[in-house]
Amino acid sequence: MGVEQLQWLPEATEEEFQAAKSLLRRYRYMSRAAAGLKDLEDLTIKQQCKLREYSDKTANIELAVALILDQGVQEITEFVFLKGNDRQAALNKLRFLTERSVDRKIRRGVISVANTLKDWEII
């Protein structure tokens, strides 16, 4: 994450970092569930609530990832969390970087998302 981004966003706590990481890990499920629920005609009240919840959460996650200032960090965050690739796939994709560098980029992406979601009072 760029220094500029740290200066104006509130810094997420470890608990908020973990909450953001959990949301990022659940992103693909929520995205697919929302798409599936949109296709149903007669939704129960619970399904309507889940559709709204998942739609809101995925939209917020997508925007938070899009707002990551460092392009490399943004791309790896999208690759791992939004596209659902694992760490090994990220290492293969970025084989010119060390494992520690890839892990650092992934962590910086989660921190950026956590800070954004904290700023928006989502976590």
Side-chain angles (χ1 to χ4, degrees), residues 49-77:
C49 290
K50 286 297 178 184
L51 173 57
R52 178 162 182 148
E53 175 189 345
Y54 292 161
S55 295
D56 288 350
K57 283 182 179 177
T58 56
N60 282 311
I61 291 167
E62 289 165 4
L63 182 54
V65 170
L67 291 173
I68 296 172
L69 297 177
D70 182 313
Q71 189 66 33
V73 172
Q74 180 191 39
E75 288 173 5
I76 196 65
T77 303

Side-chain angles (χ1 to χ4, degrees), residues 28-108:
R28 294 214 357 127
Y29 170 81
M30 292 187 297
S31 181
R32 286 184 181 180
L37 288 168
K38 284 178 188 171
D39 290 340
L40 296 178
E41 287 183 28
D42 295 319
L43 296 177
T44 65
I45 292 173
K46 175 119 178 152
Q47 288 172 321
Q48 291 171 18
C49 290
K50 286 297 178 184
L51 173 57
R52 178 162 182 148
E53 175 189 345
Y54 292 161
S55 295
D56 288 350
K57 283 182 179 177
T58 56
N60 282 311
I61 291 167
E62 289 165 4
L63 182 54
V65 170
L67 291 173
I68 296 172
L69 297 177
D70 182 313
Q71 189 66 33
V73 172
Q74 180 191 39
E75 288 173 5
I76 196 65
T77 303
E78 184 176 316
F79 182 77
V80 171
F81 294 106
L82 303 192
K83 294 183 178 172
N85 294 289
D86 62 11
R87 179 180 178 272
Q88 189 58 49
L91 292 171
N92 290 338
K93 178 182 171 102
L94 300 170
R95 59 185 164 273
F96 56 91
L97 293 176
T98 66
E99 283 187 40
R100 288 185 63 198
S101 292
V102 172
D103 290 343
R104 207 169 17 255
K105 284 184 179 287
I106 292 170
R107 180 168 174 75
R108 285 175 56 202

Side-chain angles (χ1 to χ4, degrees), residues 11-21 110 114-115 118 123:
E11 207 166 316
T13 63
E14 180 61 27
E15 186 177 302
E16 291 161 334
F17 171 84
Q18 293 301 329
K21 193 172 186 180
V110 176
N115 290 345
K118 177 179 182 159
I123 58 170

